[in-house]
Amino acid sequence: MAIEKMSMLNLVGSIKDVDNVARKIILSGNLDVVSALNEIKQSRFNLDVTERNVDSLAGMASVHPLELSESYRESLEKMKIIENAYNYKFKIKKEYLKQDIKLEKMEESINALYKEFSPIVKKQNQLQEEIYEAEKSIERFKLIENIDINIEDLDNMEKFNYYFGSLTKENRIKVKRNYENIPAIVIHEGTVNGDEVYLVIYPVDLGIETERILRSLNFKKLEIKKGFKGKPIDIIQKLEEDKKERHKELQKIKNELDKLKADNKERIEKCYTIFKIQERVNELKKLMVATRHLFYLSAWIPTNCINEFEDKIKDIKDLTIHYENQEDLTTVLNPPTKLKNNWLLSPFEYLIEMYATPSYNEIDPTSLLAITYMLFFGAMFGDVGQGLVIFLGGMFLARKNGSKFAKLISRVGISSMIFGVLYGSVFGFEEILPAILISPFENIQTILISSVLAGIILTYISFTFNIINGIKLREYKDALFGKNGIVGALFYALILYLIAQNIIKLPAIPLFLGMLILLLFIAIMIVREPLTNLIFSKRPLYSEDVSSYYIESTFEIIETLLSMISSTLSFIRIGAFALTHVGLFMAFQVISELIDNVFFSIVVLTVGNIVIIALEGLIVGIQALRLEYYELFSKFYRGEGRIYRPFKIEKENQ
C-alpha cells in the first residue's frame, strides 16, 4: 500500500573486521549496498563530526579498493569434483556461519578431502566409460554375430582394408545392379532389424572411390574398434564377461565412495557454505573502499530494519555508523524503491515490475492496479465455475513455486467467481444461479454504458494520482497545468458535459461559451512551462528554444484531444468481452444440442469450457493489462525508480 521508508547508512570500521562485517551484512539481507567510492567522490559520505571520527574523515582523501582474498577459488573448483560424486547440488547452510570461520582451515580440509575423493571418482568414471564402450561394442558385434570369420584375420590384411555396414532392402537391389562398378568385394552377411548387413573388402589404394560409390547408395558404416580377436560370437561372449567384471569392480568403488560421502557430508557442506559466502563477501568488498587501517561502506537500509541490523553487528567493536533520513537526501539522491503491500495485493507487484519501478517519492500504484485489474478481469470473465478452475490452478502453481504470478492468478480467479455470482453464470450455464446484479446478454446497452462510465471514473482517479505525484515530485507544471493535471481534468470534464447535455437533460452551456472555455484550457496547457516558472519565480521561462517548445506543445495538445475520446471509448472492451464470454459458450451449447448422443454433448461442453478458460482467459488477462498500462498508467505513472536489491545470499541458496 506504500513505499518503504529508506535511510542512507555510512559505516566505517577496522580493516581486520571487514570480512566479518560483510558476512553479517549478507546474512541480514537488508542492505542495498552502493559504491562507497562514488559516494565519497560526490561528497555524500557523511559522518558525525566528533573527535572519534576525525581519522575516518581525514582518511577519505586516500581511499583505495579493498584487497580481495582469492585463495579459496582453487578449493571451490576442487569441490565441483566432490559435488559430482554426491550427484546433487550443495546448498548454503546458515548454521555453519554462526561458528568461528577460518578460511585457511577450510581450504586445508577440502584439499585433504579432494585427495581422498579424486582417485576414487576418477576410477569410477573410468569403469563407467569402459562399461559404456563394452555395451556399444556388444551392440555392434551383435549385428554381425553370425559371420564365421576371425576379426583379427581381417585386421591383419596388408593390401586390403574392410568395414561392415548396412543397406535398406531397396538399396540392396541397387548394389546388386552395381556390383561390377564397385572396386571391392561386397559380401551379404544377413538381415538384422530390417537392414541388410554387408562386409566390404577393398584394396587400400581404392578406398576413396569405394566409399564414394557406397555413400551414393546410402551405405551406413558400422564403426567397430580394431584389436579384437576371434569370431564375433566369441568376442560378444568375452565382452559380456568383461562387462560383468567391470560392474563388480564398479560396485566396490561405489560402496567405498558411499562410505566416504556419508562420513564427510557435514564437513563438505560446511566448506561449501564458507567458500560460497566468501565469494559473496568478495563481491560486496568490491563496493567498499579502504585506507591502511579502515574500510568504508555505503548502503540504503529500510528505516524499520535499522535496529535489527545494529543487533546483528553489536559484537563488533569500533564501528562508526551514520544514518541520514531519506527526506534529507531525496533532493540529491534517488533511494531504491521497496514496495510494501499486504498479502492480498502484493502479488500484483509482479505487474508493476513488468512495467517499471515507481520512483521513491511516487505513490505506489499497486493498490490501484490490483483493485482495477481484478474488477476488469472479473467483469470480462464472470463465471463461478471457470473462475474456480482458475483459482485452483493458481493455488496449485503457488504451492509448487510460490511465485507472485501464480498468486496473482488465484486472485483473478476469485474476482471471476464473484462476478459469476453477480451475473448468475456457472460454467457458462445461466439457469443454475439467478443473476444477483445483471445478466450481460439481456442488458447489452446497460453493460456497454456502464463500461464507459467506469472508464470515466478511473480516468479521474488517474488524474488525481498524477496531481498528487506531481506535487510530491515538485513537477508543478504537469500537476497544475498539464494534460493529466488539474487543467486537463477540467478540460476533460467540460468535453464530457458538452456531449452529455445533448443526450440527457442537463443545464445547457452555450456552444460558443463552451468552445471559448475549451480554447482557454488549451492555451493554458500549451503555456504550462513558462506559466509555472512565472508563478514560482524561476528563470529562464523556457528550458528549450521557444519556437520548438510551442510547436511540440501544440502537437501534444492535438494528441491529447484525440486520445481523451479514444481512451474513454477504449473501456467499452470491458462490456464487449463480458458479452463475448457469454456468446462463446452459447455457440458450444448450440453445437451440443445438435448432437443426439448425451456423452458427446458433455464432451463438447467440456471442451468448450476448456477453450474458454485457456484462450479467452488469456485474452481477457491481456486486455485488462492493456487498460492498466495504456489507459491508466500513461496518465500518472512515471516509473523512474530503482528497485531495492539487498545484498544477501541468493534466493536459490536459501
Side-chain angles (χ1 to χ4, degrees):
M1 303 280 279
I3 291 174
E4 193 87 57
K5 297 297 181 186
M6 290 283 168
S7 293
M8 171 58 82
L9 174 152
N10 292 321
L11 184 148
V12 181
S14 173
I15 198 74
K16 64 182 175 59
D17 295 323
V18 64
D19 280 20
N20 195 11
V21 172
R23 278 191 288 268
K24 289 183 181 295
I25 287 170
I26 291 166
L27 289 173
S28 73
N30 290 326
L31 271 66
D32 187 335
V33 183
V34 296
S35 170
L37 181 61
N38 187 55
E39 296 303 300
I40 291 171
K41 283 183 177 179
Q42 299 294 329
S43 301
R44 295 196 296 251
F45 195 102
N46 299 319
L47 293 174
D48 296 324
V49 182
T50 64
E51 186 177 343
R52 181 186 172 190
N53 295 339
V54 169
D55 290 340
S56 301
L57 290 164
M60 289 186 198
S62 58
V63 294
H64 55 77
L66 273 162
E67 186 178 339
L68 304 180
S69 172
E70 301 284 355
S71 58
Y72 72 93
R73 290 195 181 277
E74 185 180 344
S75 298
L76 199 55
E77 285 298 316
K78 290 177 179 178
M79 280 212 65
K80 290 180 181 178
I81 301 291
I82 299 171
E83 195 172 42
N84 289 337
Y86 278 86
N87 201 28
Y88 77 88
K89 188 169 179 61
F90 288 112
K91 295 182 179 180
I92 290 173
K93 295 200 171 179
K94 291 183 179 179
E95 57 264 30
Y96 296 127
L97 300 171
K98 296 174 184 177
Q99 306 166 13
D100 185 32
I101 294 172
K102 292 181 180 176
L103 198 59
E104 296 79 7
K105 193 174 180 181
M106 295 295 105
E107 289 171 9
E108 289 173 9
S109 181
I110 209 67
N111 288 340
L113 281 170
Y114 178 76
K115 287 178 181 177
E116 290 186 69
F117 270 91
S118 183
I120 299 174
V121 171
K122 189 175 180 181
K123 183 65 177 175
Q124 177 184 254
N125 292 340
Q126 181 187 335
L127 287 169
Q128 287 173 337
E129 181 64 26
E130 287 174 2
I131 291 169
Y132 174 72
E133 288 297 331
E135 287 173 344
K136 274 175 45 178
S137 295
I138 290 168
E139 185 182 333
R140 286 165 183 169
F141 274 113
K142 278 186 176 179
L143 296 174
I144 56 171
E145 63 181 332
N146 296 323
I147 295 175
D148 192 21
I149 300 173
N150 288 323
I151 297 298
E152 69 268 26
D153 292 340
L154 295 173
D155 289 341
N156 293 333
M157 292 187 297
E158 293 183 4
K159 302 291 184 181
F160 290 86
N161 209 340
Y162 78 97
Y163 51 74
F164 291 95
S166 64
L167 286 168
T168 60
K169 288 185 178 180
E170 293 78 8
N171 285 325
R172 181 185 175 189
I173 298 168
K174 293 181 182 178
V175 169
K176 284 184 176 181
R177 292 174 184 166
N178 286 277
Y179 272 149
E180 66 277 8
N181 297 322
I182 303 173
I185 300 169
V186 182
I187 305 168
H188 183 237
E189 298 292 351
T191 303
V192 178
N193 297 331
D195 286 342
E196 308 300 323
V197 178
Y198 288 86
L199 168 62
V200 179
I201 301 174
Y202 57 91
V204 173
D205 295 342
L206 298 174
I208 294 174
E209 188 176 347
T210 303
E211 277 200 42
R212 181 181 57 78
I213 294 170
L214 290 175
R215 198 184 303 119
S216 69
L217 298 169
N218 294 321
F219 187 82
K220 296 177 185 176
K221 268 189 182 182
L222 181 62
E223 299 292 342
I224 294 178
K225 278 187 176 181
K226 295 193 175 184
F228 291 101
K229 293 183 179 180
K231 296 177 182 177
I233 190 71
D234 300 324
I235 293 170
I236 291 170
Q237 186 177 352
K238 177 70 168 56
L239 285 169
E240 290 283 5
E241 290 171 0
D242 287 348
K243 192 175 84 167
K244 284 180 184 178
E245 288 300 317
R246 296 289 182 277
H247 271 297
K248 287 179 183 176
E249 197 175 346
L250 179 62
Q251 191 57 51
K252 288 180 183 177
I253 290 290
K254 282 184 175 180
N255 292 339
E256 186 180 349
L257 189 59
D258 287 343
K259 186 177 185 309
L260 191 62
K261 283 157 60 176
D263 292 344
N264 294 283
K265 184 179 178 183
E266 187 175 327
R267 185 177 164 193
I268 293 166
E269 283 181 335
K270 184 176 180 180
C271 290
Y272 178 83
T273 297
I274 302 305
F275 293 150
K276 291 304 285 184
I277 285 294
Q278 188 61 40
E279 195 171 53
R280 290 293 282 159
V281 165
N282 274 5
E283 291 171 14
L284 179 53
K285 285 164 73 174
K286 289 175 184 177
L287 296 169
M288 302 182 195
V289 289
T291 60
R292 187 176 177 183
H293 302 293
L294 302 171
F295 72 88
Y296 297 76
L297 175 138
S298 290
W300 288 102
I301 182 170
T303 305
N304 62 4
C305 294
I306 289 175
N307 291 336
E308 180 188 341
F309 174 68
E310 289 190 342
D311 187 57
K312 286 187 180 294
I313 60 170
K314 65 184 178 183
D315 59 324
I316 303 174
K317 296 179 180 179
D318 300 323
L319 287 181
T320 301
I321 306 176
H322 174 79
Y323 299 100
E324 290 203 51
N325 195 278
Q326 79 288 337
E327 278 80 9
D328 302 328
L329 291 168
T330 48
T331 54
V332 291
L333 288 177
N334 184 21
T337 301
K338 182 183 181 184
L339 301 177
K340 183 174 66 175
N341 292 286
N342 59 37
W343 67 273
L344 178 65
L345 305 182
S346 60
F348 292 90
E349 291 173 5
Y350 175 81
L351 300 181
I352 298 292
E353 291 163 7
M354 275 179 59
Y355 189 85
T357 303
S359 57
Y360 184 75
N361 277 336
E362 269 192 90
I363 297 174
D364 177 10
T366 306
S367 54
L368 175 66
L369 180 140
I371 294 167
T372 54
Y373 191 85
M374 285 191 285
L375 289 173
F376 291 159
F377 190 94
M380 290 189 276
F381 198 86
D383 189 281
V384 176
Q386 293 161 3
L388 178 62
V389 172
I390 293 172
F391 169 74
L392 294 175
M395 292 295 290
F396 172 76
L397 291 174
R399 282 181 175 274
K400 197 170 183 181
N401 57 35
S403 69
K404 286 183 180 179
F405 179 69
K407 294 173 183 176
L408 186 153
I409 291 173
S410 66
R411 305 298 193 272
V412 299
I414 293 171
S415 174
S416 179
M417 291 165 65
I418 292 170
F419 273 88
V421 172
L422 297 177
Y423 292 165
S425 177
V426 182
F427 285 115
F429 295 101
E430 297 186 344
E431 302 82 17
I432 299 172
L433 287 177
I436 294 176
L437 180 65
I438 192 171
S439 179
F441 223 66
E442 294 173 8
N443 299 273
I444 295 175
Q445 187 175 349
T446 304
I447 284 289
L448 295 177
I449 291 172
S450 299
S451 300
V452 175
L453 291 174
I456 293 169
I457 294 167
L458 290 170
T459 298
Y460 269 98
I461 291 173
S462 298
F463 286 156
T464 305
F465 270 61
N466 184 65
I467 293 163
I468 295 169
N469 273 336
I471 293 169
K472 288 186 74 176
L473 297 171
R474 299 178 184 177
E475 296 175 359
Y476 300 114
K477 68 174 183 179
D478 290 325
L480 300 176
F481 309 122
K483 62 180 181 179
N484 297 317
I486 293 173
V487 173
L490 293 172
F491 178 82
Y492 182 57
L494 184 54
I495 289 178
L496 293 176
Y497 193 91
L498 291 173
I499 294 171
Q501 71 179 10
N502 295 313
I503 301 172
I504 56 178
K505 291 182 179 180
L506 289 171
I509 296 176
L511 183 60
F512 174 77
L513 179 60
M515 294 303 294
L516 194 63
I517 297 171
L518 286 176
L519 288 172
L520 177 61
F521 287 151
I522 290 172
I524 292 171
M525 285 189 279
I526 289 174
V527 300
R528 65 187 183 280
E529 182 175 349
L531 181 59
T532 306
N533 290 337
L534 197 63
I535 292 170
F536 290 95
S537 302
K538 290 184 179 180
R539 295 295 184 274
L541 294 177
Y542 299 93
S543 59
E544 57 183 305
D545 178 68
V546 176
S547 59
S548 299
Y549 169 79
Y550 281 109
I551 291 169
E552 186 179 328
S553 294
T554 302
F555 278 108
E556 188 178 321
I557 296 307
I558 293 171
E559 184 269 334
T560 300
L561 288 168
L562 296 172
S563 67
M564 278 186 171
I565 302 302
S566 63
S567 177
T568 304
L569 294 176
S570 183
F571 285 91
I572 286 180
R573 71 186 68 230
I574 298 172
F577 274 98
L579 298 171
T580 302
H581 183 253
V582 177
L584 189 58
F585 179 78
M586 286 176 65
F588 283 103
Q589 197 172 21
V590 168
I591 294 170
S592 70
E593 289 171 358
L594 294 174
I595 300 172
D596 293 333
N597 189 296
V598 176
F599 173 76
F600 285 112
S601 293
I602 294 170
V603 169
V604 168
L605 293 173
T606 304
V607 170
N609 270 284
I610 292 170
V611 170
I612 290 168
I613 292 168
L615 183 60
E616 195 191 349
L618 176 64
I619 294 170
V620 164
I622 293 169
Q623 291 299 324
L625 198 59
R626 184 199 177 283
L627 288 173
E628 295 288 349
Y629 287 172
Y630 291 100
E631 310 305 343
L632 299 183
F633 277 22
S634 62
K635 292 179 174 63
F636 73 90
Y637 189 42
R638 289 153 178 80
E640 297 170 350
R642 176 176 74 84
I643 194 165
Y644 168 72
R645 296 190 186 281
F647 211 100
K648 59 182 179 180
I649 303 168
E650 290 87 350
K651 187 177 179 181
E652 61 267 24
N653 289 328
Q654 289 182 12

